[in-house]
């Protein structure tokens, strides 16, 4: 009798879940082309130079009508992926010309004298001239993100027999070639403090360091291939230096990766928690090893972030799926002013979906999943059960499969959460109000679309 009841309940739960999953799939089918169209619309937008990527069409309250090097690099990584995967030849030609415009625009702003005095200048006017007002400078993640998207493109062009294009447009031994310019900047400046991706805090940042390390490693591979040997070994040497520095961001007592060390300015952040750590791995982490998707230190950080934002944001106490995630618990930027209440962000909540999908994929290929004191809290919350000491689940065991399924489902929960806060027209702003859940801040944020498209790409794999 009892077993029968369990079976019925289990079947009922399963069908509720698959009904949700179907709804989610349908919604993605509708919103994906909209997100792609809206993202592409923000590149070479009317009234801007060709190849300029505006952060948002919003010109006031807030004014995001600028080319941010970071937002543009993250966006173009998505565009390059679409270009590589495009089947339709018209679409492919169109995407490639968009990318060529971006390369030209990047060369132009790299050559433009600016107040950072180099590649760390965070944003430019939409005609490519320098922005001359006060801003948090320099921001040293931008050049790394730009280089990463273009190195991915270089790899594809080389595979297509277009090595000459790579040498002409992206990388040659001249320090002025677009990719090399960034790699030179990174390799000579990574030890200096800078302002982080949220544009508020000066210090040494995990996000900046991880994207810098990956750019130098990928860049070394490209330099080597193109015969620029001494540059390749210099980049590798500096990447190794950054790797060493990255270990110091782990806090054994808090069991989190701390975003900023040696803080010199910016808001006080006693929690030490910051979603930038998760974005860092999404944008630059490998699939395995230290500071990768599979790193248990990251899992622990994710669990602590979920716990914090669950209790801070009232909108997370309404029984909605997953947890809407913000930048950091002490955040006061509400999308308009810096003395309001911080909110959950769409691009970060999508980022958490991507994390769970990618983790499911990596662990599914592993021979075992190990529960350790570092990732215990993460798995306890995923499986709704406490763990003591170490445990190992071997591939093929039912618990192993259960973990993979739950990770995937959690990814779906995060996307369902994004769906819940997004209207039928698919428009995505920067934030969601922490009380009401309604979108606020810069409308049609290019990065929100990019993060969403990356998450559904990870889901489809
Ligand atoms: C707008 C954004 O860059 C945000 O991150 C920051 O808090 C404020 N400006 C203040 O610098
Ligand atoms: C504020 C965010 O904090 C920053 O990361 C971003 O680059 C700008 N807005 C532009 O979207």
């Amino acid at each position: 009798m009892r077993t029968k009841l369990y079976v019925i309940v289990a079947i009922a739960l399963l069908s509720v879940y698959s009904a949700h999953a179907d709804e989610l799939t349908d919604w993605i089918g509708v919103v994906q082309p909209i997100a792609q169209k809206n993202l592409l619309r923000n590149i070479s937008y009317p009234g801007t130079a060709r190849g300029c990527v505006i952060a948002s069409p919003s010109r006031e309250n807030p004014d995001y009508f600028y080319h941010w090097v970071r937002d543009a690099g993250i966006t173009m990584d998505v565009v390059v992926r679409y270009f590589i995967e495009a089947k339709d030849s018209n679409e492919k030609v169109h995407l490639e010309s968009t990318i060529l415009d971006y390369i030209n625009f990047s060369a132009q702003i790299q050559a433009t004298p600016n107040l950072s005095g180099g590649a760390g200048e965070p944003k430019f006017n939409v005609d490519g001239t320098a922005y001359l007002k006060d801003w948090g400078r320099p921001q040293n993640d931008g050049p790394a993100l730009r280089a990463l998207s273009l190195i991915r493109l270089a790899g594809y062009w080389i595979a297509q027999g277009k090595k000459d294009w790579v040498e002409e447009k992206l990388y040659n031994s001249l320090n002025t070639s677009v990719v090399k310019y960034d790699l030179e900047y990174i390799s000579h400046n990574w030890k200096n403090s800078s302002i982080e991706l949220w544009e508020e805090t000066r210090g040494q940042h995990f996000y900046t360091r991880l994207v810098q390390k990956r750019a130098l490693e990928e860049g070394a591979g490209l330099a080597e291939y193109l015969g620029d040997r001494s540059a390749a070994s210099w980049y590798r040497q500096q990447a190794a230096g950054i790797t060493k520095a990255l270990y110091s961001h782990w806090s054994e007592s808090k069991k989190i990766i701390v975003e900023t060390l040696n803080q010199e300015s910016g808001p006080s952040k006693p929690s030490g928690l910051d979603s930038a750590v998760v974005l860092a791995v999404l944008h630059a982490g490998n699939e395995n090893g230290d500071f990768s998707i599979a790193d248990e230190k990251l899992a622990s950080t994710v669990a602590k972030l979920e716990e914090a934002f669950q209790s801070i944001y009232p909108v997370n106490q309404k029984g909605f799926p997953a947890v809407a995630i913000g930048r950091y618990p002490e955040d006061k930027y509400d999308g308009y002013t810096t003395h309001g209440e911080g909110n959950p962000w769409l691009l970060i909540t999508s980022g958490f979906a991507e994390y769970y999908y990618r983790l499911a994929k990596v662990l599914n290929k592993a021979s075992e999943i190990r529960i350790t004191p570092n990732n215990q809290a993460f798995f306890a919350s995923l499986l709704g059960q406490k763990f003591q000491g170490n445990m190992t689940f071997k591939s093929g065991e039912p618990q192993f499969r259960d973990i993979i399924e739950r990770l995937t489902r959690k990814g779906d929960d995060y996307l369902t959460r994004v769906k819940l806060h997004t209207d039928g027209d698919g428009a995505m702003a920067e934030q969601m109000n922490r009380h009401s859940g309604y979108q606020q801040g810069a409308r049609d944020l290019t990065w929100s679309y990019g993060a969403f498209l990356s998450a559904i790409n990870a889901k489809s794999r």
Side-chain angles (χ1 to χ4, degrees), residues 54-56 63-64 66 68-72 74 122-123 135 139 141 196-200 279 327 331 333 345 347 430-431 442 445-447:
I54 51 169
S56 150
D63 183 4
Y64 272 37
Y66 296 95
W68 260 271
V69 176
R70 163 182 39 263
D71 297 46
I74 293 166
K123 68 172 190 180
W135 207 254
Q139 296 179 17
D141 56 322
E196 96 305 22
L197 80 170
W198 306 136
E199 313 196 283
E200 300 171 328
L279 299 185
R327 299 196 297 185
D331 197 0
Y333 177 55
W345 282 38
L347 72 92
E430 184 181 73
Q431 312 188 5
L445 189 80
T446 318
W447 187 358

Side-chain angles (χ1 to χ4, degrees), residues 312-330:
I312 292 171
Y313 299 147
V315 74
N316 280 333
Q317 284 132 43
K318 299 187 178 180
F320 297 146
V323 180
I325 307 283
R327 299 196 297 185
Y328 54 91
E330 302 83 357

Side-chain angles (χ1 to χ4, degrees), residues 153-351:
L153 172 70
Y156 179 74
W157 273 350
I158 287 169
Q160 298 297 303
K162 287 180 164 174
K163 184 178 164 197
D164 50 332
W165 275 39
V166 173
E167 290 178 315
E168 182 195 319
K169 301 173 196 305
L170 296 178
Y171 189 103
N172 56 52
S173 53
L174 295 180
N175 287 359
T176 49
S177 59
V178 173
V179 172
K180 184 154 183 170
Y181 179 88
D182 286 336
L183 299 177
E184 287 299 309
Y185 178 79
I186 299 164
S187 57
H188 286 99
N189 291 281
W190 68 267
K191 289 181 182 156
N192 303 335
S193 67
S194 65
I195 303 282
E196 96 305 22
L197 80 170
W198 306 136
E199 313 196 283
E200 300 171 328
T201 299
R202 193 179 301 275
Q204 309 280 357
H205 317 288
F206 183 82
Y207 182 89
T208 307
R209 280 176 160 166
L210 192 62
V211 295
Q212 287 179 326
K213 158 186 139 77
R214 187 68 188 266
L216 289 179
E217 286 171 352
E218 301 284 307
L222 181 62
E224 181 92 57
Y225 177 80
L226 296 173
D228 198 5
R229 291 265 179 71
S230 57
S233 79
W234 160 251
Y235 298 152
R236 285 214 177 89
Q237 214 180 328
Q238 298 311 306
I242 301 178
T243 305
K244 239 193 220 157
L246 280 165
Y247 285 98
S248 55
H249 288 260
W250 172 246
S251 161
E252 185 60 45
S253 60
K254 289 186 166 159
K255 293 238 177 284
I256 58 170
I257 298 171
V258 176
E259 164 69 0
T260 299
L261 302 179
N262 310 321
Q263 183 170 340
E264 295 164 24
S265 67
S268 137
K269 302 178 182 177
S271 74
L273 282 165
D274 197 319
S275 309
V277 167
V278 184
L279 299 185
V281 177
L282 297 179
H283 296 163
N286 293 310
E287 302 299 306
N288 282 292
D290 286 322
F291 317 115
S292 74
I293 293 289
D295 192 338
E296 58 182 33
K297 300 191 286 302
L298 181 66
S300 180
T301 312
V302 164
K304 300 273 196 280
L305 282 161
E306 288 173 333
E307 201 183 295
F309 289 121
Q310 168 69 38
S311 69
I312 292 171
Y313 299 147
V315 74
N316 280 333
Q317 284 132 43
K318 299 187 178 180
F320 297 146
V323 180
I325 307 283
R327 299 196 297 185
Y328 54 91
E330 302 83 357
D331 197 0
K332 291 194 161 42
Y333 177 55
D334 60 11
Y336 311 107
T337 74
T338 49
H339 44 266
E341 286 181 328
N343 294 302
W345 282 38
L346 283 146
L347 72 92
I348 304 173
T349 308
S350 288

